[in-house]
Amino acid sequence: MYNIKKLLCATLLIVLAVILPSCAKSAEAQDDIPEVVRQTAEDYFEAFKQGTAEAEKYAYFPTESSRMLFLEQTDQKLESYKIEKIEKLTENLYGVTVNGRLNIYDSGETETVFGFVGKVDGSWLYIGTAGYIPDSLKEGVDLSAYQYSDPDIL
């Protein structure tokens, strides 16, 4: 019985020795993301819980009409969110994958949404869609991973 316990313990230690480094590599991939980028995304999503008027303060819009269109969605609020991944695309542009739930949907399910954090005119801002990214930030960047399969989304 004592040998079986030793064998099980040794097996468990070997399994952990193999699994834990791979977990650490996932965390390391996120560790190279600057804190200002993480904070910008968090600030935007936390503000969106209050509504579009608050979230607008942390977002970039290429035109005044796109800003006004966003602000007109006064009944829209983010109920919950979880940032799944932030990925460096360039020094001044990061892709953000988030699962979130808006109050305007009855299903109660979360949706996967793609966005960006970019440095625009010296300020880090959340960019809600690839179409809003300034040309100077997206030049030479492959954004195909941030496209929706459903053509009716955004």
Side-chain angles (χ1 to χ4, degrees):
M1 183 75 159
Y2 180 71
N3 285 338
I4 292 174
K5 284 184 180 180
K6 282 176 79 173
L7 181 60
L8 285 173
C9 189
T11 303
L12 179 61
L13 288 173
I14 291 170
V15 168
L16 288 174
V18 170
I19 292 174
L20 288 178
S22 65
C23 293
K25 285 182 183 175
S26 298
E28 284 173 18
Q30 294 287 299
D31 286 344
D32 67 342
I33 305 302
E35 184 58 31
V36 67
V37 172
R38 288 181 205 277
Q39 195 60 55
T40 298
E42 288 285 345
D43 289 347
Y44 173 80
F45 292 120
E46 285 298 318
F48 203 175
K49 287 181 173 181
Q50 304 304 311
T52 56
E54 281 300 310
E56 179 264 343
K57 298 172 186 175
Y58 300 95
Y60 169 77
F61 299 91
T63 65
E64 191 58 30
S65 62
S66 61
R67 179 185 308 281
M68 295 310 297
L69 186 62
F70 180 76
L71 288 171
E72 287 173 9
Q73 309 302 314
T74 57
D75 59 339
Q76 192 174 125
K77 293 181 182 176
L78 187 64
E79 289 183 344
S80 64
Y81 72 94
K82 180 179 182 207
I83 297 174
E84 296 293 331
K85 180 172 75 169
I86 299 177
E87 178 182 28
K88 181 179 180 178
L89 303 174
T90 70
E91 285 297 319
N92 294 315
L93 184 64
Y94 292 78
V96 179
T97 304
V98 64
N99 284 326
R101 182 173 52 238
L102 292 172
N103 66 325
I104 60 171
Y105 298 121
D106 294 330
S107 70
E109 294 183 22
T110 61
E111 300 284 332
T112 298
V113 178
F114 304 117
F116 305 89
V117 171
K119 193 171 189 179
V120 181
D121 298 327
S123 298
W124 288 97
L125 297 167
Y126 185 81
I127 303 169
T129 179
Y132 284 7
I133 301 172
D135 290 338
S136 61
L137 291 183
K138 66 181 175 183
E139 187 176 317
V141 177
D142 179 10
L143 298 174
S144 61
Y146 298 95
Q147 294 178 348
Y148 296 97
S149 56
D150 182 347
D152 294 327
I153 296 177
L154 299 180

